[in-house]
Amino acid sequence: MPEKRKQLHEYMKSVGNSLAEKSYMTSYNMKIEMKGQNEQHTENEWYVMHYYKGGDMSKELKTLSQDETLSYSPYVSLGLPLFRDQEFKGHVFCLMPLPLQNESLTGFPLHVNGYFALTQNRRHVKWPTADQTKNKAHMDKTIRWNKCLVIEVLAEAYHMLINETIQMSKNKKECKGYSSTYLHMHTRSQKNNQRLGNHS
């Protein structure tokens, strides 16, 4: 795991403010150990995927990715719990988690991290209002960036993650617990067919 994270950081550093010639994806399992007040230890396993969009992308995303006033990268990471927790709610991160509110929940059974443009108080992801969408009104480039990140980058990463869990769930020896995780993802996704941005 440390080696894969190191490779990701080196790749992003090599790309800098340029456009990547091709997309880069890496994934791994990681265990997180927590210690409670009663000295009780719990250990949970997660599947983590990092995705940096390159190659074929819209003209809008290319332009915004190279905008020095934004300085954002077309990158997202996903954290999928490999344990069953009926109370689990996917959360939006922008390096750090946004305040726990309904608007900061993904609506899907996983955490999402990305270079989102945030409001000035850093509590919400910027997103067009209903009137702006209906009237096709001009939107500032930070909102346009978030739309591109969700539609072009996050959607691709989520699609790849689902495909990977399907493949890994077929190999019980390799990845114990992926079958139930995939079924949980599929059920939750069917119940919530809205994009992440509609929650932000």
Side-chain angles (χ1 to χ4, degrees), residues 6-32:
K6 180 180 178 181
Q7 291 173 355
L8 171 68
H9 293 156
E10 290 177 348
Y11 175 80
M12 294 178 69
K13 185 177 180 180
S14 68
V15 173
N17 294 328
S18 304
L19 295 175
E21 294 183 0
K22 59 181 180 179
S23 297
Y24 180 93
M25 188 277 284
T26 187
S27 60
Y28 49 81
N29 286 27
M30 67 180 298
K31 292 183 179 180
I32 297 179

Side-chain angles (χ1 to χ4, degrees), residues 72-152:
Y72 294 138
S73 298
Y75 159 82
V76 297
S77 55
L78 308 176
L80 175 67
L82 298 181
F83 53 92
R84 296 303 300 270
D85 180 359
Q86 297 298 330
E87 301 300 318
F88 176 83
K89 294 181 180 180
H91 204 101
V92 178
F93 291 69
C94 183
L95 302 183
M96 297 291 288
L98 300 190
L100 187 56
Q101 300 173 349
N102 287 336
E103 293 84 357
S104 63
L105 300 178
T106 66
F108 294 96
L110 74 170
H111 292 318
V112 173
N113 174 61
Y115 283 110
F116 295 105
L118 305 180
T119 54
Q120 191 170 3
N121 61 10
R122 297 190 61 81
R123 298 180 66 86
H124 306 283
V125 173
K126 288 187 174 182
W127 200 255
T129 64
D131 287 339
Q132 285 177 317
T133 301
K134 180 180 179 180
N135 300 325
K136 297 182 179 180
H138 171 75
M139 291 179 285
D140 70 57
K141 55 189 175 184
T142 56
I143 294 178
R144 285 157 42 211
W145 166 263
N146 284 339
K147 289 191 67 176
C148 286
L149 193 64
V150 170
I151 295 171
E152 295 188 50

